[in-house]
Amino acid sequence: SYVLTQPPSVSVAPGKTARITCGGNNIGSKSVHWYQQKPGQAPVLVIYYDSDRPSGIPERFSGSNSGNTATLTISRVEAGDEADYYCQVWDSSSDHVFGTGTKVTVL
Amino acid sequence: QVQLQESGPGLVKPSETLSLTCTVSGGSISSYYWSWIRQPPGKGLEWIGYIYYSGSTNYNPSLKSRVTISVDTSKNQFSLKLSSVTAADTAVYYCARYAAGGRDGYKSPVDYWGQGTLVTVSS
């Protein structure tokens, strides 16, 4: 089965840049989506098809995908960005796969 | 604005069947794929399965033997049944919609989620 690996946690100071990685075998050949989940809430789509942003998502959120790693970048981090973040792909053999999740802490 | 709302018992006994329904409002269930996703307390997201409005389904292999997802287009609802539950099935269960309509919509991201409902398996 296809596995997506994320760092358990990332800490970042306000105003700085957070980078959250999502590792998978040849993930660059797949489309990656990213979700933000705040405590007690349902996930929210923040990046889709590697680098597209849904309407209403700040430009501070961006994504890239190449080789064996996809990356979600949050620029000029704010306190409100503190949340869990999950990557997700569709794989022909495993169907829908979510990453292990990364907790972003704003210092 | 599409809205999804899960409903069903919050407590299920071990070995029994968990049953949940998702009611879709603000849009038609037709032409889209719909999914169930769960999250055990303090853990990550797990895809359970999806259904097309026409009734075709696909399930997570790890749960396939116990899962049934069905759709009722007349009521704009779809449902989840998970049999022979154990404590490991305790989780928040979300219903969700895939963003793209049409036959390949299941490959698209999830754009709408229900608020989630906690189901506890305990005697």
Side-chain angles (χ1 to χ4, degrees):
Chain A
S1 63
Y2 194 75
V3 176
L4 295 174
T5 303
Q6 300 180 233
S9 63
V10 167
S11 297
V12 58
K16 299 300 185 182
T17 297
R19 293 180 179 84
I20 305 160
T21 58
C22 176
N25 184 36
N26 198 25
I27 194 173
S29 67
K30 305 181 187 300
S31 294
V32 180
H33 315 304
W34 291 91
Y35 302 89
Q36 175 194 68
Q37 186 180 34
K38 296 182 178 180
Q41 298 183 19
V44 172
L45 182 67
V46 293
I47 291 290
Y48 63 104
Y49 294 121
D50 297 341
S51 59
D52 291 339
R53 266 179 297 103
S55 60
I57 301 301
E59 291 183 8
R60 301 183 296 103
F61 288 82
S62 63
S64 63
N65 184 18
S66 179
N68 292 318
T69 305
T71 304
L72 172 68
T73 301
I74 311 173
S75 304
R76 301 180 300 284
V77 166
E78 302 175 356
D81 299 330
E82 191 162 282
D84 293 328
Y85 291 82
Y86 294 90
C87 57
Q88 181 249 318
V89 303
W90 178 82
D91 174 75
S92 60
S93 59
S94 299
D95 229 299
H96 289 275
V97 181
F98 286 98
T100 49
T102 298
K103 180 177 181 61
V104 170
T105 299
V106 180
L107 300 172
Chain B
Q1 176 82 346
V2 174
Q3 294 185 316
L4 292 80
Q5 179 66 58
E6 305 90 350
S7 59
L11 181 63
V12 181
K13 290 183 168 55
S15 79
E16 296 190 344
T17 296
L18 177 160
S19 296
L20 295 173
T21 295
C22 182
T23 300
V24 179
S25 59
S28 174
I29 205 166
S30 296
S31 303
Y32 285 92
Y33 279 87
W34 305 87
S35 184
W36 288 97
I37 295 162
R38 70 180 183 178
Q39 185 172 37
K43 296 188 178 181
L45 300 166
E46 180 181 31
W47 171 72
I48 299 172
Y50 59 69
I51 189 165
Y52 196 37
Y53 79 101
S54 63
S56 61
T57 56
N58 198 18
Y59 303 133
N60 186 324
S62 69
L63 299 170
K64 188 173 185 175
S65 63
R66 299 193 292 129
V67 173
T68 302
I69 298 176
S70 59
V71 64
D72 186 337
T73 55
S74 67
K75 295 182 179 179
N76 238 30
Q77 294 177 334
F78 63 104
S79 298
L80 168 71
K81 290 188 185 299
L82 181 65
S83 64
S84 304
V85 297
T86 69
D89 295 310
T90 293
V92 174
Y93 285 76
Y94 294 100
C95 59
R97 191 193 83 165
Y98 291 104
R103 284 285 176 187
D104 284 349
Y106 60 91
K107 299 179 184 178
S108 65
V110 171
D111 61 349
Y112 288 103
W113 298 72
Q115 65 184 26
T117 187
L118 174 62
V119 179
T120 301
V121 178
S122 175
S123 55

